[in-house]
Amino acid sequence: MTRIAYCTSMSGQVRDMIAERGDLNVYRALAHAGRPFAGWMIAGRAALTSKVVPVRLRELVILRVGHLMKCPYEIAQHTPVAEDSGIGSRPLDALAADGRLADGGFTPTELTVLELTTELVTTATLTPARMDRARELLGDEQLLEVLMIISRWSGLALMINALDVDIDTGRHLSLPP
Amino acid sequence: MSRIPLTPVESLAPAARDFMRRRGELNVFRLLAGAPEVFDGWSTMVDAQLDSRTFGPRLRELVILRVAYLQHCAYEIAQHTDVGRHAGIGDAEIRALSAEGPVPGFTGPENTVLGFVDELCVTGTVTRETFAAARAVLDEAELTELLLLVSLYYGLALLLNAAEPDIDDDARLVTSP
């Protein structure tokens, strides 16, 4: 059970930000933080609306981070988004921490990005060869956004795990237009 | 040397240029400015955290430095050692923050917060008891803001360790007084 009460006294701006993203428990828990929370929501909106990283690749990375960080909440909320972006059950299974990425039917670019994600989240660093390969395939801007996605969702997993946020019943992450 | 090229200051878009005029022309910002679709959202989040008065600068910098050491992030350590000194963290305390295992020498709420941060960053979550201990010294707004702070610097460390921007020669992060 979520370890703090959900925030009920928030500014109209924060309330609107949360409503736009589906009124999820994680937002209702973190909203106690006020302005830093609003800043974090603004950064998240940019991450979710940027078209630099295709939605499919973004969701693969988020789910892989969710598995590696042992965050069932992220997996629960992002699995439907991933499915909507065309990711089927075989790749979803392969993303599990004990799954085999090689069995996921991923493109070479996706596989490279998922291996990079795995190395970075589990060792907190990257071998130069992996970085060079990712740069060749993605280019600098897309690689930076991939790293920012890993950065945001790994940090978010810590927050969700610390607060032990209940998985939402009947509420789904809604993506800003 | 950065594995991803840094954006020259003179090529920055106006909002990014304004952010760096206020916060410093740091290599980390010039690195992330290479992702212009998400940079402004990210920098808004950083501003909101650094401008917040919820914590005194000393506690904020203790947390940031501890996360930086746990993540082995030389760049964060370099920038925040200076900020931490200005916030009243002594040299012996800074050395203590680099400890493997529990940080020695702190007492009271600082010690409780550092123990919470250690457990969260090392294990990816905290036990019920550790959460309760933190909650006893922090209200809901403080606890959620602490999580946002840990989340930001934990994730940013991954990105910095991957991209390896050079530690800045002279540029220093400007935090609010």
Side-chain angles (χ1 to χ4, degrees):
Chain A
M1 191 170 136
T2 309
R3 288 167 165 171
I4 57 172
Y6 295 121
C7 182
T8 52
S9 59
M10 50 186 93
S11 71
Q13 182 209 18
V14 166
R15 197 175 298 279
D16 290 348
M17 286 174 166
I18 290 181
E20 184 188 48
R21 301 258 270 279
D23 273 322
L24 302 187
N25 289 343
V26 60
Y27 304 136
R28 296 161 66 218
L30 290 172
H32 289 290
R35 289 187 58 199
F37 170 73
W40 180 83
M41 288 294 279
I42 290 166
R45 194 178 198 285
L48 292 169
T49 55
S50 171
K51 300 284 181 280
V52 172
V53 176
V55 175
R56 179 185 156 94
L57 184 58
R58 181 189 73 210
E59 294 301 320
L60 289 174
V61 171
I62 291 173
L63 282 172
R64 182 65 174 166
V65 170
H67 281 290
L68 295 169
M69 298 293 295
K70 300 185 179 62
C71 185
Y73 188 100
E74 281 184 345
I75 297 164
Q77 276 300 346
H78 280 273
T79 296
V81 182
E83 287 169 343
D84 285 350
S85 74
I87 301 171
S89 59
R90 183 176 156 211
L92 285 177
D93 291 345
L95 292 170
D98 58 355
R100 281 172 43 85
L101 289 177
D103 294 343
F106 299 115
T107 68
T109 299
E110 288 169 352
L111 192 57
T112 299
V113 168
L114 289 168
E115 287 170 350
L116 174 153
T117 304
T118 305
E119 184 182 349
L120 187 54
V121 172
T122 54
T123 72
T125 186
L126 271 189
T127 47
R130 183 104 61 197
M131 189 71 175
D132 292 344
R133 172 94 177 117
R135 270 192 84 194
E136 277 167 29
L137 290 167
L138 300 177
D140 291 339
E141 183 179 7
Q142 201 174 147
L143 174 56
L144 272 170
E145 285 209 19
V146 164
L147 293 172
M148 290 178 86
I149 291 165
I150 295 168
S151 178
R152 178 177 181 88
W153 271 273
S154 61
L156 173 55
L158 293 185
M159 299 199 283
I160 292 170
N161 289 349
L163 293 170
D164 198 13
V165 179
D166 285 332
I167 292 175
D168 307 86
T169 48
R171 288 197 178 111
H172 299 287
L173 173 61
S174 116
L175 298 178
Chain B
M1 170 131 163
S2 184
R3 292 163 162 182
I4 300 175
L6 309 182
T7 304
V9 174
E10 39 306 346
S11 333
L12 293 168
R17 186 179 296 233
D18 175 66
F19 176 76
M20 281 184 232
R21 208 185 58 242
R22 291 183 291 104
R23 294 290 175 197
E25 290 177 359
L26 272 57
N27 289 343
V28 57
F29 300 146
R30 292 177 51 209
L31 170 71
L32 292 175
E37 295 298 314
V38 294
F39 182 80
D40 291 346
W42 183 86
S43 62
T44 299
M45 170 176 70
V46 171
D47 271 337
Q49 294 215 4
L50 294 179
D51 285 341
S52 173
R53 296 287 180 280
T54 301
F55 301 119
R58 177 179 156 93
L59 185 58
R60 182 191 69 212
E61 295 301 321
L62 287 175
V63 170
I64 293 172
L65 275 169
R66 185 57 182 161
V67 172
Y69 277 112
L70 290 169
Q71 293 287 79
H72 303 289
C73 182
Y75 188 95
E76 286 183 352
I77 293 167
Q79 276 294 340
H80 284 274
T81 294
D82 276 9
V83 182
R85 283 208 182 95
H86 283 111
I89 304 174
D91 288 345
E93 290 177 318
I94 287 172
R95 279 195 299 279
L97 290 167
S98 71
E100 300 284 334
V103 179
F106 291 88
T107 57
E110 288 181 349
N111 190 46
T112 304
V113 167
L114 288 171
F116 178 92
V117 170
D118 273 19
E119 189 174 320
L120 184 54
C121 291
V122 172
T123 72
T125 188
V126 291
T127 62
R128 193 181 300 271
E129 293 71 28
T130 301
F131 186 88
R135 182 67 183 81
V137 297
L138 303 172
D139 66 21
E140 286 157 332
E142 291 164 340
L143 182 64
T144 48
E145 189 164 332
L146 171 65
L147 289 173
L148 286 163
L149 190 64
V150 173
S151 176
L152 171 59
Y153 281 88
Y154 179 95
L156 181 59
L158 297 183
L159 191 154
L160 289 167
N161 290 352
E164 288 197 325
D166 289 333
I167 291 171
D168 306 273
D169 291 330
D170 302 313
R172 288 291 174 271
L173 176 66
V174 179
T175 58
S176 311

